[in-house]
Amino acid sequence: MSTRRSRTVAPVVLMAGLALLAGGVPAVGASEEGSYSIDEVGAPISAVNIRTAAMGAMPDGTPVVYAPTYGEPARLSVVQGETGELISVHDLGDKTTSNYTGLSPDGSAYAAGQTPGANLFRYDPATDDVTDLGAPVSGESNISRLTSFADDGTLYSGTYPSGHVFSYHPDRGFQDFGPIAEGEQYARSTAFDGEGTLYVGTGTNARLFELNVTTGARTEIALPAEYAGQQTYVNEMYYRDGLLFAFLSPAYAYVVYDTVAGEWRDSLTDVQASPITDVVDGTVYYVNRTPNDVFSYDLTSGETAQVTDLNQISLNSARGFGVLRLQDPEWPGSTIAGMGLTGRMWHYNIDTAEFRWVQTQASAGALKIAALGMGSDDNLYAAGYLTPGVMARIDVETLESEALAGPSQSQFIGTVDVEGGAPAMFIGGYSDAGVWRYDHTAEWSYPYNPIRLARLDSYDQERVLAMVGVGEHLAVTTLGPKGSMGGHLTILDPVTGSIRYSAEPVPGHAVASLHYEEIDGREVIVGGTTSNQLGVEHPDPEARFFIFDLETLTTDFVTMPRSGVTSISQILELPDERIWAFANDATILELDIERDGAGSYSIRTTEVASIFGEPRSAGQWAGSRLSMLDPDTVLGNAAGSVYTIDVATQEVEIVTEGNEATATGDGRFFFVRDTVVFRGTPEGWIAPDPDPEPEPTDPTTNYALADNGASAAASSTYGAYGPGQVIDGDTTSVTSRWISAADDVDPWLEIVFAEEAVVDTVSLYQYLNYELADYDISAQVDGDWVTVAEIRGNVAARTVHEFSAVSATALRLDGIASSDGRVRLFEVEVTCQASADCAGGEEPEAAPVTTAHYVGNNWVTVALSAEDGGSGIGGLEYRFDDGDWFSYTEPFSLKRSDRQLLEYRGTSPDGTAEETRCIAFEPGGGRVDVTVSPDYATCTN
């Protein structure tokens, strides 16, 4: 019989979403549902959120931008293309999102309204009215881009999830051409040649087809060899004077096809997923990625050229991209224009090279909540789907919300316990599979707090599903890109983000849920998988339970829970240490885990509850939650319902409709319905006694602050970005930073303190995506520069470097390597955090330095001796395998074949401990007589 000891400290709580506009909506209503009262919090995330925009002219020549609102209610904003003023705004029926718009040759505009269903809407500028044209294809949930028109005003587009192609004409209505190809879910992009041929791009397997709109015949065009079979989407397509421009994702490339010659002509690489403009004097324009600028493409020669020199025209500032003819004579001819995600527009005149920004009055909307969860500060956090970089924080008592900048979409937000540190809130992103950590003891200052620890898209991952603490590490589960199978389990350091392991523990399956515990002294992860992924039919769809050994980093056991279950989306430990798991047929399974004497594992499952009394599809890989509402009650949501389970009787109560059920820890819970958050309170609930307020503490002195008398100098300066701006206390403003000159091959920064100070910590606030990869930090001690930190391979924007305390008068940073050779720093903080002498300002006392000696055969005798570091020897202590510490009084014996890890250290009379020393004993033959010096007994060796 095995011994199982739980290592889970607290259940993970999930969250997501936030608001761009100041302040959310407080509670506006209450109701009674079952044995719970329900308070409506409101829609906490509201923002201008423009995913695409169409540009052109109204029949009277007025420049116009048609901007859809990706929010509730779905709206079409008609914006004056020169001034940004709102001409009119129109609700799109009962739809909650709108992605795409298009401008017809007849002067009308179209918009796709989605959720529920997918309908096409037509705007008539003569009447300033919008007409709901209905669904192009019954049962489809998405309409693709609206960029393909015939001269007579016929619109061509596609759908999801059945990949249909359709057309619409005001006189003839809809025509459904059927699925473009068997098995393709997305008819993602279209381009019409004006003579009867429609080009159709697909996803999530990128393919290109030629469709004859008269006969319906279709022919596949092979993609260029260097991209074939490797891409997920043909995401955008545009036909320009005989050339077809097809954007491939994730290659970030426009490939150019000569439709007359029937061959691929060019490949424009490292470009944004923005449109190709209409032709201007034989040239089209597109948006580049590095640098973020407008480039031109000559249709005859194929030559490209950089047009702007701003490095500011990114995808999010060019969601809409096209050509306008403005009415101001100082902006003659054609003007390139872009509409940004937040409604900010820009103009660039081709003739005069004038550039300007224009803030428009495009309409905002409430955004759908993607996840909820409790933070380590006892506030509720929310994240939305495809936001313009916004989140929300909600006070669980007052129900007031505030806007926060954050990742554009988060699939996971939760508080996680990691051994050796206080509980912290982590955020899991999409589509970079980013892992972010928030320190609630400091001010929210995205992207520095929360700070991104890792980007798992470098491991070909797209979406974070779950996180849990595993000893001193963080375990993260992710899905691979759309159209692929599988996903990773990643083990990383929760402070530095360094990755210890990232791979598929069950090949071909993604890990959807995790539980951490100890079985017979071995630390393991118990996980549940999912075979469900967008754009792929899995050949082996049955979900798995598995056991992953954290010492060997290997999967030791895999089993199927039962036939028909394709996802295990949650695993929860109950207070009595039973383990429950949620299967996506809406049942709760109890796990009985054992390890026999030979080291083999087994997992037996028993169904303990059926949420709806019958199988029902719920939680393909995320969305279904389990947590403890109180010690006797489990809270969850599945298939659009919030429920509770009595732990003792397994009785299920369906409480209300909703998703993202999140327990607060005091017996209450929150949940969402699309864009709106609600709070549930049990009947007769009594608020727990509040925790006592902590004693106030003095703030730690930052010796690298101008207000504290510090001064700064640097090897060079770029423009107005001088060294004094890294000591002004501003950690986020782009106008307050030091940037070294482009020709400075050995950039350095020196900060002189007002007076000598004991320091042991340096914090750097770097510029996101332009971080220093390699650098050294030195402190000036007794007039000499002493290196205190050597950093290589850094990828983080916020870095904290701790070192043995020194009494210093200045600090120096030497930049060695970055993406472009420059150093970009917002702020440097130099403090004393951990040393016993931090408050004294005197030279810190040195701890003893310990030497170990062992002699014998398999059994060895170990003796410890210490050298006085200058403040005396208070004692020696030792322990085995991370166990309890023992005071050392005399030599002791151990058995080498037991493979024990011996740790030991000395302390000074004031309690200052030296660095812990380690010896890992291994089996071996023959007599040994070994003295281990301190330099060779560090625990990192």
Side-chain angles (χ1 to χ4, degrees):
M1 179 69 69
S2 61
T3 301
R4 184 172 68 83
R5 182 164 68 90
S6 168
R7 301 298 298 270
T8 301
V9 180
V12 172
V13 185
L14 306 181
M15 66 166 80
L18 58 85
L20 183 63
L21 304 184
V25 182
V28 296
S31 63
E32 298 289 335
E33 299 192 31
S35 55
Y36 299 87
S37 64
I38 306 297
D39 295 300
E40 181 178 332
V41 177
I45 305 177
S46 183
V48 177
N49 191 18
I50 297 169
R51 313 308 300 186
T52 65
M55 299 183 176
M58 302 187 82
D60 65 359
T62 300
V64 65
V65 178
Y66 293 98
T69 299
Y70 192 87
E72 185 178 357
R75 291 172 172 155
L76 178 65
S77 293
V78 184
V79 176
Q80 217 277 8
E82 188 159 5
T83 66
E85 294 175 327
L86 188 65
I87 297 173
S88 60
V89 62
H90 306 271
D91 287 355
L92 302 180
D94 64 346
K95 307 308 177 188
T96 60
T97 58
S98 180
N99 276 25
Y100 303 123
T101 56
L103 185 59
S104 171
D106 65 12
S108 63
Y110 290 84
Q114 296 162 175
T115 313
N119 286 17
L120 187 67
F121 295 80
R122 183 172 185 263
Y123 171 75
D124 186 343
T127 62
D128 194 31
D129 287 329
V130 164
T131 302
D132 185 347
L133 303 175
V137 181
S138 178
E140 296 295 87
S141 61
N142 289 73
I143 296 173
S144 299
R145 286 164 174 77
L146 308 176
T147 56
S148 301
F149 292 89
D151 290 340
D152 68 352
T154 300
L155 165 67
Y156 296 95
S157 187
T159 68
Y160 167 87
S162 299
H164 283 240
V165 177
F166 72 88
S167 69
Y168 175 81
H169 187 275
D171 296 334
R172 300 187 299 272
F174 290 110
Q175 178 182 354
D176 182 3
F177 292 91
I180 185 60
E182 183 179 356
E184 297 300 337
Q185 292 183 302
Y186 284 92
R188 184 75 168 187
S189 55
T190 56
F192 187 62
D193 73 349
E195 297 181 359
T197 298
L198 182 71
Y199 297 92
V200 182
T202 69
T204 54
N205 302 294
R207 298 165 69 188
L208 177 62
F209 292 87
E210 188 178 81
L211 172 66
N212 186 306
V213 299
T214 302
T215 67
R218 58 207 69 191
T219 304
E220 184 168 1
I221 301 173
L223 294 178
E226 63 268 33
Y227 299 111
Q230 304 175 38
Q231 303 304 305
T232 303
Y233 294 110
V234 181
N235 215 41
E236 312 241 0
M237 277 205 299
Y238 302 92
Y239 182 87
R240 300 291 184 254
D241 290 357
L243 298 181
L244 180 70
F245 293 79
F247 183 87
L248 303 181
S249 172
Y252 287 97
Y254 264 115
V255 288
V256 185
Y257 182 72
D258 188 323
T259 62
V260 177
E263 61 186 19
W264 293 102
R265 168 176 163 172
D266 284 315
S267 179
L268 308 178
T269 58
D270 196 30
V271 300
Q272 299 285 11
S274 294
I276 298 291
T277 68
D278 291 334
V279 180
V280 179
D281 297 330
T283 299
V284 295
Y285 298 86
Y286 62 94
V287 180
N288 198 61
R289 291 181 77 204
T290 309
N292 289 319
D293 276 297
V294 176
F295 277 57
S296 64
Y297 179 85
D298 188 291
L299 296 181
T300 302
S301 67
E303 293 181 356
T304 63
Q306 183 173 344
V307 176
T308 61
D309 187 18
L310 303 166
N311 203 23
Q312 298 181 53
I313 312 301
S314 65
L315 173 62
N316 283 341
S317 63
R319 289 284 176 170
F321 182 67
V323 175
L324 296 174
R325 297 189 72 87
L326 305 185
Q327 297 171 325
D328 186 342
E330 294 187 2
W331 289 74
S334 297
T335 294
I336 302 171
M339 174 67 90
L341 193 64
T342 61
R344 193 182 186 207
M345 182 169 61
W346 54 268
H347 296 145
Y348 176 83
N349 189 265
I350 295 174
D351 293 343
T352 67
E354 287 293 319
F355 179 88
R356 68 185 178 191
W357 292 98
V358 179
Q359 183 60 53
T360 74
Q361 297 173 350
S363 179
L367 306 186
K368 186 177 180 181
I369 305 298
L372 282 181
M374 293 297 297
S376 49
D377 57 358
D378 294 327
N379 286 308
L380 181 73
Y381 288 78
Y385 285 100
L386 298 176
T387 76
V390 289
M391 291 182 64
R393 176 163 52 202
I394 301 169
D395 187 301
V396 300
E397 302 299 336
T398 67
L399 303 186
E400 295 179 348
S401 65
E402 62 176 309
L404 301 170
S408 61
Q409 180 170 325
S410 301
Q411 195 71 48
F412 172 97
I413 308 173
T415 297
V416 179
D417 276 338
V418 178
E419 290 182 8
M425 190 177 89
F426 290 87
I427 303 170
Y430 167 86
S431 59
D432 65 353
V435 178
W436 301 76
R437 185 188 72 242
Y438 171 53
D439 176 6
H440 75 267
T441 64
E443 183 180 356
W444 184 286
S445 179
Y446 177 84
Y448 304 101
N449 187 30
I451 187 169
R452 187 168 58 196
L453 297 175
R455 286 185 59 160
L456 300 179
D457 57 354
S458 60
Y459 289 81
D460 200 26
Q461 300 299 290
E462 184 174 76
R463 185 189 311 261
V464 173
L465 298 184
M467 299 189 212
V468 68
V470 289
E472 297 180 350
H473 289 84
L474 183 71
V476 182
T477 71
T478 50
L479 277 180
K482 300 177 187 68
S484 67
M485 292 186 294
H488 281 201
L489 167 66
T490 298
I491 311 295
L492 57 81
D493 187 294
V495 176
T496 67
S498 61
I499 293 174
R500 183 183 177 208
Y501 170 91
S502 188
E504 294 179 359
V506 181
H509 286 245
V511 184
S513 52
L514 295 173
H515 172 68
Y516 168 57
E517 65 173 75
E518 186 177 297
I519 301 176
D520 287 350
R522 301 195 70 83
E523 296 181 33
V524 301
I525 289 173
V526 180
T529 74
T530 180
S531 62
N532 300 296
Q533 176 60 294
L534 296 175
V536 63
E537 185 174 344
H538 204 291
D540 181 20
E542 306 291 342
R544 308 293 202 271
F545 284 118
F546 68 90
I547 294 178
F548 182 85
D549 191 295
L550 285 164
E551 180 180 349
T552 62
L553 300 178
T554 57
T555 302
D556 287 354
F557 178 77
V558 179
T559 187
M560 287 190 294
R562 65 182 182 193
S563 178
V565 171
T566 60
S567 182
I568 302 294
S569 59
Q570 290 283 286
I571 301 177
L572 173 69
E573 183 178 16
L574 306 184
D576 61 7
E577 297 191 0
R578 286 184 292 163
I579 298 176
W580 284 6
F582 181 87
N584 70 327
D585 60 356
T587 58
I588 302 295
L589 306 178
E590 183 166 311
L591 279 59
D592 182 12
I593 307 170
E594 289 192 352
R595 183 172 183 262
D596 64 22
S600 298
Y601 293 96
S602 65
I603 299 177
R604 293 190 298 272
T605 61
T606 304
E607 181 179 320
V608 295
S610 175
I611 306 305
F612 304 105
E614 61 182 9
R616 187 177 298 185
S617 178
Q620 299 309 304
W621 34 257
S624 296
R625 305 300 184 206
L626 280 183
S627 60
M628 296 305 303
L629 181 61
D630 58 52
D632 303 313
T633 311
V634 168
L635 171 73
N637 67 270
S641 295
V642 177
Y643 63 86
T644 59
I645 305 175
D646 186 293
V647 171
T649 67
Q650 286 87 57
E651 181 180 347
V652 178
E653 177 185 353
I654 304 298
V655 177
T656 186
E657 295 180 353
N659 294 295
E660 297 300 321
T662 302
T664 62
D666 61 9
R668 296 175 294 177
F669 63 94
F670 286 81
F671 63 94
V672 303
R673 295 174 187 158
D674 292 327
T675 63
V676 181
V677 176
F678 297 82
R679 182 181 66 188
T681 304
E683 189 177 54
W685 179 80
I686 299 175
D689 292 334
D691 294 330
E693 290 292 328
E695 293 294 326
T697 57
D698 293 330
T700 301
T701 300
N702 175 15
Y703 299 104
L705 190 65
D707 287 350
N708 291 333
S711 59
S715 56
S716 65
T717 295
Y718 170 70
Y721 302 106
Q725 296 180 114
V726 302
I727 58 172
D728 63 359
D730 188 337
T731 62
T732 59
S733 174
V734 294
T735 61
S736 176
R737 50 185 171 141
W738 169 55
I739 303 177
S740 64
D743 58 356
D744 187 351
V745 295
D746 295 307
W748 55 262
L749 172 75
E750 291 183 6
I751 299 173
V752 179
F753 310 149
E755 58 185 4
E756 186 173 353
V758 176
V759 297
D760 65 5
T761 304
V762 173
S763 300
L764 302 181
Y765 295 81
Q766 304 192 48
Y767 195 59
L768 189 64
N769 297 324
Y770 290 92
E771 301 90 348
L772 272 170
D774 302 337
Y775 53 98
D776 292 341
I777 298 174
S778 305
Q780 193 170 51
V781 180
D782 296 330
D784 296 324
W785 289 109
V786 177
T787 301
V788 295
E790 295 180 342
I791 295 85
R792 302 295 182 267
N794 172 61
V795 295
R798 170 77 189 281
T799 55
V800 179
H801 308 288
E802 298 177 348
F803 46 87
S804 298
V806 295
S807 186
T809 56
L811 181 109
R812 178 183 172 104
L813 181 143
D814 287 282
I816 299 173
S818 68
S819 61
D820 63 355
R822 286 180 166 177
V823 181
R824 293 173 170 84
L825 284 177
F826 284 99
E827 195 75 6
V828 177
E829 294 175 350
V830 182
T831 56
C832 195
Q833 303 279 355
S835 170
D837 295 278
C838 282
E842 298 177 356
E843 186 73 24
E845 292 188 359
V849 179
T850 304
T851 297
H853 177 260
Y854 61 91
V855 61
N857 292 296
N858 188 25
W859 281 94
V860 294
T861 300
V862 181
L864 303 179
S865 60
E867 181 180 340
D868 186 357
S871 56
I873 300 174
L876 300 175
E877 54 187 1
Y878 66 97
R879 66 178 180 180
F880 299 103
D881 296 328
D882 201 27
D884 296 330
W885 287 98
F886 299 98
S887 294
Y888 176 79
T889 57
E890 60 183 0
F892 56 89
S893 297
L894 59 82
K895 194 175 181 181
R896 293 164 62 197
S897 59
D898 285 345
R899 297 178 180 271
Q900 290 176 302
L901 177 69
L902 171 65
E903 297 176 83
Y904 55 93
R905 64 191 181 192
T907 58
S908 61
D910 70 345
T912 301
E914 73 172 307
E915 174 189 356
T916 300
R917 314 290 179 185
C918 291
I919 301 174
F921 285 92
E922 298 286 347
R927 179 177 174 80
V928 292
D929 188 346
V930 178
T931 299
V932 184
S933 70
D935 291 340
Y936 290 93
T938 60
C939 294
T940 56
N941 282 349

